[in-house]
Amino acid sequence: MFSLQKLLGKEDKFFDLLEASAEEARSSVQALVRIVKSSTAPPTLEEFVLPRRKEKRIAQEISEQLVNTFITGLEREDIEALSTALYKIPKATEKWAEHFIMGAQHVREVDFTGQVGMLEQATDTVLAMVRQLRRIQELEKIKELNDRLQYIEGEADKLMLDLLRDLYSGRHDSLKVIVLKDLYELLERIIDRCRDAGNVINHIVLKHS
């Protein structure tokens, strides 16, 4: 049986770093959930900046380790591709938070819980997929997780259409429409970033099947 663990060495450093990266992506979405659900504390960017900075440091460490490591179990370009895909999740989440804070006065009564619930599911699934790379030979488990991620994206697309249909109904103030459309599209982008990370993992798995 092909052993990625043996090739990557006793400490499984790339697995550890990629998992840490996926955890920071998940942390950024959890911060988004808190900002959406909070009805008292004024929103700030601090909770979003920290995961993105941590993610950036992890990405830099992965790049350094790739330079200093002679043999890797995963192909170098695959490690770099997954690291980049994971970094884009907190980056997109921070962008959403920036726009949400700027337009907060126009969207105080808007319920984002449906979308952020899907984001939580998506980042949980991405983290599970990254962890599953340690057991890459369990193809069915990774396929099941990827199918779940694709399903979440499909449901998010349906919800997006419903939200846009309501937004264009003529019942809303024009400025509110502009602010909400921007926020909806940014939420969709975060889901897309999760899908992209899942696609990279699926590509890695297929290469080793």
Side-chain angles (χ1 to χ4, degrees), residues 109-177:
E109 306 304 320
V110 177
D111 183 6
F112 292 98
T113 54
Q115 294 132 299
V116 299
M118 290 180 183
L119 286 178
E120 281 190 289
Q121 294 176 48
T123 49
D124 285 348
T125 305
V126 168
L127 177 56
M129 291 180 75
V130 173
R131 287 174 174 166
Q132 192 65 31
L133 284 174
R134 293 183 186 268
R135 298 176 297 280
I136 200 170
Q137 67 274 11
E138 299 176 11
L139 300 178
E140 285 305 313
K141 179 61 177 178
I142 296 177
K143 182 180 183 300
E144 176 188 328
L145 289 168
N146 192 53
D147 288 346
R148 182 192 304 170
L149 190 58
Q150 299 298 324
Y151 173 79
I152 293 168
E153 185 198 12
E155 291 301 296
D157 287 342
K158 293 177 185 176
L159 178 58
M160 178 70 166
L161 288 175
D162 289 339
L163 292 169
L164 289 177
R165 190 176 295 113
D166 174 70
L167 206 57
Y168 296 150
S169 65
R171 297 187 295 106
H172 303 288
D173 173 78
S174 57
L175 183 56
K176 183 178 181 179
V177 169

Side-chain angles (χ1 to χ4, degrees), residues 2-138:
F2 181 78
S3 174
L4 288 178
Q5 285 90 332
K6 185 175 179 181
L7 282 176
L8 284 173
K10 292 184 294 183
E11 296 182 358
D12 294 340
K13 56 190 171 187
F14 289 112
F15 287 139
D16 292 341
L17 289 168
L18 289 170
E19 287 177 11
S21 182
E23 286 167 358
E24 291 305 325
R26 183 172 178 269
S27 293
S28 69
V29 168
Q30 289 175 330
L32 189 152
V33 173
R34 287 192 292 272
I35 199 176
V36 164
K37 291 184 177 180
S38 175
S39 58
T40 55
T44 68
L45 278 177
E46 185 176 351
E47 281 194 279
F48 298 89
V49 172
L50 186 59
R52 198 255 306 157
R53 287 179 177 170
K54 287 182 178 179
E55 189 87 57
K56 188 173 183 179
R57 286 197 294 270
I58 294 168
Q60 289 172 339
E61 186 173 353
I62 288 173
S63 296
E64 291 169 4
Q65 290 288 349
L66 285 171
V67 171
N68 297 322
T69 303
F70 181 66
I71 296 175
T72 61
L74 301 177
E75 294 183 17
R76 294 170 185 270
E77 59 267 27
D78 290 336
I79 295 172
E80 289 178 327
L82 182 52
S83 176
T84 299
L86 291 170
Y87 172 69
K88 289 180 179 180
I89 297 172
K91 188 176 180 181
T93 304
E94 184 181 348
K95 177 65 69 176
W96 183 89
E98 290 174 352
H99 288 222
F100 179 80
I101 290 169
M102 286 190 291
Q105 68 271 25
H106 302 290
V107 295
R108 284 195 182 96
E109 306 304 320
V110 177
D111 183 6
F112 292 98
T113 54
Q115 294 132 299
V116 299
M118 290 180 183
L119 286 178
E120 281 190 289
Q121 294 176 48
T123 49
D124 285 348
T125 305
V126 168
L127 177 56
M129 291 180 75
V130 173
R131 287 174 174 166
Q132 192 65 31
L133 284 174
R134 293 183 186 268
R135 298 176 297 280
I136 200 170
Q137 67 274 11
E138 299 176 11

